[in-house]
């Protein structure tokens, strides 16, 4: 039987309002993929074994993604994230999963934009574009 779990109960927190004080961001619909990918550095030379290219990992680059939420005008967290986007700030975020190990990741993200979308007959949402701006720290949220 699978040991996977459903994403219900996952929390996104940020220190957008007050540095190093993490507060839950309300009404989050979708979390971005957080991760890093290493550049490929080609070390191939004239005598590479078997004529096969040789690679080593180079600098890592964090991915860019989008946080989706139901927009709440006047909410302190939403307002702080909109201000962070206006200023091009780096904000620390935490994701807390409801697994038995209480897994958490903390990652600094460049807040690139805060966009509000309004459609006839649908909910008003906000999209926050972010890019990983440093190394992630894994642990638990006990």
């Amino acid at each position: 039987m699978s040991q996977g779990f459903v994403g219900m109960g996952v929390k996104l927190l940020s220190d957008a309002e007050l540095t190093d004080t993490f507060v839950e961001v309300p009404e989050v619909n979708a979390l971005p993929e957080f991760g890093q990918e290493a550049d490929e550095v080609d070390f191939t030379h004239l005598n590479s074994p078997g004529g096969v290219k040789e690679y080593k990992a180079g600098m890592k680059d964090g991915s860019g993604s989008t946080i989706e939420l139901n927009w709440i005008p006047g909410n302190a967290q939403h307002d702080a994230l909109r201000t962070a986007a206006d200023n091009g700030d780096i904000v620390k975020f935490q994701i807390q999963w409801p697994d038995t190990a209480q897994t958490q990741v903390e990652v600094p993200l460049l807040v690139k934009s805060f966009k509000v979308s309004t459609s006839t007959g649908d909910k008003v949402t906000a999209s926050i574009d972010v890019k990983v701006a440093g190394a992630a720290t894994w642990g638990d949220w006990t």
Side-chain angles (χ1 to χ4, degrees), residues 97-112:
W97 288 273
D99 60 321
T100 54
Q102 297 180 310
T103 305
Q104 171 180 288
V105 64
E106 182 176 309
V107 62
L109 299 175
L110 168 63
V111 183
K112 296 171 44 174

Side-chain angles (χ1 to χ4, degrees), residues 28-96:
V28 175
N29 295 326
L31 294 176
E33 213 176 55
F34 293 118
Q36 296 181 337
E37 184 174 338
D39 292 334
E40 300 170 0
V41 181
D42 187 343
F43 280 82
T44 307
H45 53 86
L46 295 175
N47 294 308
S48 289
V52 177
K53 287 188 171 192
E54 299 180 67
Y55 292 94
K56 294 184 182 181
M59 298 288 291
K60 293 179 183 173
D61 188 16
S63 58
S65 200
T66 304
I67 299 167
E68 300 284 342
L69 49 86
N70 298 329
W71 184 45
I72 306 170
N75 175 271
Q77 276 292 299
H78 292 193
D79 288 350
L81 290 168
R82 189 183 69 239
T83 299
D86 290 345
N87 296 334
D89 291 339
I90 294 174
V91 173
K92 287 186 274 186
F93 286 84
Q94 293 177 343
I95 299 176
Q96 297 177 344

